[in-house]
Amino acid sequence: MQAPDAIPGDTEPPPDHRDSPAPSTDSAAVVGKVILMGASVRSAAASARRGGLRIWGIDRFGDADTRDLCEEFQQISGPDQIAAALRRAKARWPDAAVVAAGDLITPPDVEVDQGRWCEAKTIRCRDLWAQAAGVSDCRFPATRPIVDEASTAHQHRRQSVDHDRWLEKSMTGTGGLGVRWSDPNRKFQPGMTFQQQWVAGRTHGVTYIADGAEARMLGVCRTITTRFGDLPFIYAGSLGPVSLQQSTQDRLQRLGQSLVERTRYRGLFNADVVLSGDQPPWLLEVNPRWSASMELVEHTLAPEPSGSSPATQPSLIRWHVRAQSERLHTWVRVPNPNHSIHRFKRIVYSLRAGRLCSQAIQRWCRQLHAEDQSIRCTDIPAQTDDIAIGQPIVTLTGILTPQTNYRDLIRQVQSLVS
């Protein structure tokens, strides 16, 4: 299996600035404001609210509970509208921190937090991933760029000889929307698509927090996927955090530390990995932002002391903001995760095209909350609308017990599409 070339010229580690943290790029930790942007910002907004932050939300769905969490909200129809939406938000809240709560394809073409965008772009480098995996006793699948159609045809001829299974992955996709089995007949966007060798095992999301010099692993959740059409790996939820063997924990901690030492990245980030027993983890990709499984990790972290007040549940969005200007060791007293509590997150997708009545969904959610306090219905549609096959209806979250039967709840939700 061939690995990508190492990063040219990266023979010596960058200078260590652990005792002199970089200055804050915004005053959000003082004024308590965040602008959250993503396909759906509901889970990040819930974290920010828990941390006492004022929220300006920008997303594509505009769900009822998302709007309730936000002081200001803008709904957009696609990534081409994010720049204008963010300019408007920054004009009103110029001192707010801008936090990516999901992948909106490309950084907006606006002059805000450029240093942070550069850090995020640096950590989204496949050669960096391969190098960090190598020094952390992890593995990285053979990966190669797609340059043009001629090279793609040549690569498919090679696959027919070596019998490897390959995936085509887009750098602009999220939630599995940019991952397909390799197909020589498919049109693609040169430079934005690459091929990666498929590896067997179960995919997990690893949550980290970093301050530019130190990374801490906060938890690992197993990923649930489903298939729609030619998209075999659509994100459908998470389970966890899960307990890992000590050797695997050590490798994943070294992986996060290696990535941060090479990029000086600050804030939350997620690594998608494949785990199989006690074998070294396979690193698939790194996302420098809030990720879907982080709300499960957040709920199992030890409560934080709050002066004379009772201890409160941590807010990872507030941690992300603080990490831009503070060293972790000066304020993070956790992780001390309680892995005896396992939680689930399950996105319910529609299996047919039809009409989704928001009032019917809201009544069903209220009834669920009255009957079972351990399960919550979130991402609730704000208005009645048409729905297509494969579109999300709601998200179910809660504590996972032997008695939990969320599959029956999924069928109940899906039956509400008329």
Side-chain angles (χ1 to χ4, degrees), residues 222-226 235-240 296 342-349 364 368 372 374-377 394-415:
R222 178 182 164 189
T223 302
I224 305 171
T225 61
T226 189
Y235 176 77
S238 298
L239 299 172
L296 302 188
H342 298 286
R343 303 183 68 90
F344 73 90
K345 174 177 183 175
R346 189 65 165 85
I347 301 174
V348 182
Y349 291 102
W364 185 89
L368 172 67
D372 190 342
S374 67
I375 299 178
R376 307 301 294 173
C377 182
V394 295
T395 301
L396 301 174
T397 63
I399 298 174
L400 189 63
T401 69
Q403 292 74 39
T404 304
N405 186 9
Y406 65 77
R407 290 179 177 83
D408 183 55
L409 297 177
I410 290 173
R411 287 189 289 268
Q412 291 180 36
V413 171
Q414 291 170 334
S415 71

Side-chain angles (χ1 to χ4, degrees), residues 27 56 62 70 112 139 153 179 184-185 193 216 230 248 257 281 286 303-304 313 320 338 357 359 387 403 405:
S27 58
W56 187 307
C70 297
V112 293
R139 296 175 287 182
V179 183
N185 299 314
T193 306
R216 295 194 187 184
D230 67 342
T248 301
Q257 184 63 35
V286 178
E304 295 179 307
Q313 199 68 37
H320 176 85
N338 184 357
C357 176
Q359 289 83 4
I387 190 169
Q403 292 74 39
N405 186 9

Side-chain angles (χ1 to χ4, degrees), residues 178-392:
V179 183
R180 294 174 170 85
W181 292 111
S182 188
D183 182 353
N185 299 314
R186 183 182 299 114
K187 296 293 183 181
F188 56 89
Q189 185 179 1
M192 298 302 293
T193 306
F194 64 97
Q195 289 185 320
Q196 188 175 75
Q197 192 172 36
W198 175 81
V199 294
R202 289 183 171 176
T203 305
H204 293 70
V206 188
T207 295
Y208 297 94
I209 184 79
D211 63 8
E214 177 189 2
R216 295 194 187 184
M217 185 178 71
L218 302 180
V220 180
C221 293
R222 178 182 164 189
T223 302
I224 305 171
T225 61
T226 189
R227 180 188 185 100
F228 283 104
D230 67 342
L231 298 172
F233 304 108
I234 295 293
Y235 176 77
S238 298
L239 299 172
V242 299
S243 298
L244 301 175
Q245 297 184 23
Q246 189 61 50
S247 60
T248 301
Q249 292 185 51
D250 293 343
R251 286 164 171 153
L252 293 176
Q253 174 58 44
R254 289 197 298 269
L255 174 64
Q257 184 63 35
S258 177
L259 289 165
V260 171
E261 287 177 350
R262 285 162 171 75
T263 62
R264 297 302 176 194
Y265 178 80
R266 289 173 172 266
L268 293 167
F269 68 101
N270 172 85
D272 288 337
V273 300
V274 171
L275 303 179
S276 181
D278 60 354
Q279 298 298 308
W282 289 93
L283 171 62
L284 301 182
E285 65 179 36
V286 178
N287 294 300
R289 54 175 170 80
W290 173 272
S291 292
S293 64
M294 289 182 181
E295 65 177 317
L296 302 188
V297 173
E298 182 177 73
H299 279 287
T300 57
L301 294 175
E304 295 179 307
S306 182
S308 59
S309 303
T312 59
Q313 199 68 37
S315 162
L316 290 187
I317 289 295
R318 187 162 188 87
W319 284 18
H320 176 85
V321 174
R322 293 190 66 180
Q324 308 308 315
S325 59
E326 300 176 53
R327 288 297 313 279
L328 297 183
H329 70 78
T330 64
W331 54 275
V332 173
R333 299 294 177 256
V334 286
N336 180 25
N338 184 357
H339 286 161
S340 64
I341 300 177
H342 298 286
R343 303 183 68 90
F344 73 90
K345 174 177 183 175
R346 189 65 165 85
I347 301 174
V348 182
Y349 291 102
S350 179
L351 298 181
R352 61 178 177 177
R355 190 78 171 164
L356 183 62
C357 176
S358 60
Q359 289 83 4
I361 285 290
Q362 291 168 17
R363 282 196 302 270
W364 185 89
C365 292
R366 286 194 297 269
Q367 181 179 350
L368 172 67
H369 297 165
E371 295 176 352
D372 190 342
Q373 294 298 315
S374 67
I375 299 178
R376 307 301 294 173
C377 182
T378 60
D379 298 321
I380 304 169
Q383 59 186 16
T384 298
D385 205 349
D386 293 332
I387 190 169
I389 295 175
Q391 283 191 322

Side-chain angles (χ1 to χ4, degrees), residues 25-42:
T25 57
D26 60 65
S27 58
V30 176
V31 300
K33 296 178 183 178
V34 289
I35 299 170
L36 303 176
M37 57 183 187
S40 172
V41 302
R42 189 270 315 161

Side-chain angles (χ1 to χ4, degrees), residues 36-46 55 57-59 66 69-70 73 101-102:
L36 303 176
M37 57 183 187
S40 172
V41 302
R42 189 270 315 161
S43 60
I55 307 158
I58 303 171
D59 82 7
T66 304
L69 290 164
C70 297
F73 183 82

